[in-house]
Structure formats: structure tokens, C-alpha cells
Amino acid sequence: MKVILGIDPGSTFTGFGVVNSDGDSILHVSHGVIAPPAKLSFHDRLAIIAGELETLVSRIQPDEIVIERIFLGKNADSAFKLGHVRGVAVSTAIRAGADVVEYAARAVKKGITGNGASTKDQVQIVLFAALGLRNHQARLDASDALALAFYHARNLQVAGRMPGVEL
């Protein structure tokens, strides 16, 4: 059984999603957000995110941590802040001894819905149906993180059925 933690980094809301995968099935464990108070400085929010991620990783002991690959948007300041949060997540994963995997958001969307341009809402609907989470909603940051973990677990299933295929 592999424990896979997905992280959708953000300085306001950092989403997390956890699945267990045994190669045949993928089971939802939990999902949520780390939301430091907006009134705090960016550095103080980073410290809270780091502490919460360390607590989460210590509690669930993931085998693999999947982090959304950075993309360059229109706002350079936002991209730099996202990079800082990603750095905190990668550092936490490495210190915990977990393997780090990265995927682009577009690849995850395509892998889950069949369309790389799907909206976050569309991804959440398909993802929750696949995991058997009926009539359930979550912050999109949390479902994005859960999508990362689920997508990676599915990739591991495919690779396990096809010897010689590497992710």
C-alpha cells in the first residue's frame, strides 16, 4: 500500500490531498487546505505552511509527495511566491524521506477529465465521482491537490501493468 500526498502550493491556501493505492484500487484518505491568516506577512505565512506540512507529513508518512509543477503566469510576483511555497513543500518531502514527483496542472486535468483545459470545477466533479465521494464539495485548492495524488496513483497503476514503463 502506497500513501500518496498531493500538494497544491499557494501562499493564501495550500491544498493537500491524500490517497492510498495498492496497485489495484485508489482510496481517498483525506483532503483539505492550510490557510494561514491573510493579515500575516508572507514570511510568517510561509512558516505556518512549513509547520503544517511537517505535521501532516509526520502524521500520514507518505511514500510519495506529488507537487504541482510551477507555471509562469501573468503576475511575476505571484509566481515567485508560489515558488517559495513549492520550495517549502519540496524541502519537507525530502526531509521526510518521501519521493517527490511533479506534474503540470494541464497534464493532471487531461488525465482526469480527458481535457487539459478543463476547469477546476470540472476536475473536482470527475475526481470525486472516481473516488466515490458523492455530494461532496471542497475548496478547489484541496481538490486540485487530491487530483495530483489520484493522477499519480493512476499512473503508478498503469506503470505496474506495463513492465518497462517509467513515469
Side-chain angles (χ1 to χ4, degrees):
M1 180 74 61
K2 277 194 184 232
V3 178
I4 302 170
L5 168 63
I7 299 174
D8 180 37
S11 62
T12 306
F13 298 103
T14 292
F16 65 88
V18 184
V19 298
N20 286 341
S21 176
D22 65 4
D24 292 321
S25 62
I26 302 169
L27 303 172
H28 171 265
V29 175
S30 69
H31 62 277
V33 294
I34 298 167
K39 66 181 181 192
L40 296 179
S41 72
F42 174 68
H43 293 117
D44 288 340
R45 290 194 318 266
L46 268 182
I48 289 172
I49 292 167
E52 293 291 323
L53 284 176
E54 287 173 11
T55 299
L56 178 65
V57 167
S58 176
R59 188 179 82 233
I60 66 169
Q61 299 185 1
D63 299 294
E64 300 189 13
I65 296 179
V66 187
I67 303 171
E68 186 175 275
R69 185 172 289 145
I70 199 162
F71 63 93
L72 188 56
K74 294 179 182 177
N75 185 332
D77 187 53
S78 294
F80 284 125
K81 286 180 179 176
L82 177 64
H84 282 74
V85 178
R86 284 185 81 259
V88 165
V90 170
S91 176
T92 300
I94 291 169
R95 285 196 325 276
D99 292 332
V100 178
V101 181
E102 297 177 80
Y103 292 110
R106 192 167 182 82
V108 174
K109 289 176 179 183
K110 184 171 183 172
I112 291 178
T113 68
N115 180 356
S118 295
T119 67
K120 291 173 177 271
D121 290 317
Q122 290 168 330
V123 172
Q124 185 181 81
I125 290 166
V126 174
L127 174 66
F128 282 15
L131 287 170
L133 300 175
R134 304 285 184 234
N135 300 319
H136 192 336
Q137 291 185 340
R139 283 200 57 86
L140 293 175
D141 309 278
S143 60
D144 285 353
L146 187 58
L148 285 160
F150 179 82
Y151 177 73
H152 183 61
R154 282 217 335 225
N155 282 347
L156 291 174
Q157 286 178 332
V158 170
R161 293 183 182 120
M162 299 176 71
V165 172
E166 287 190 35
L167 299 178

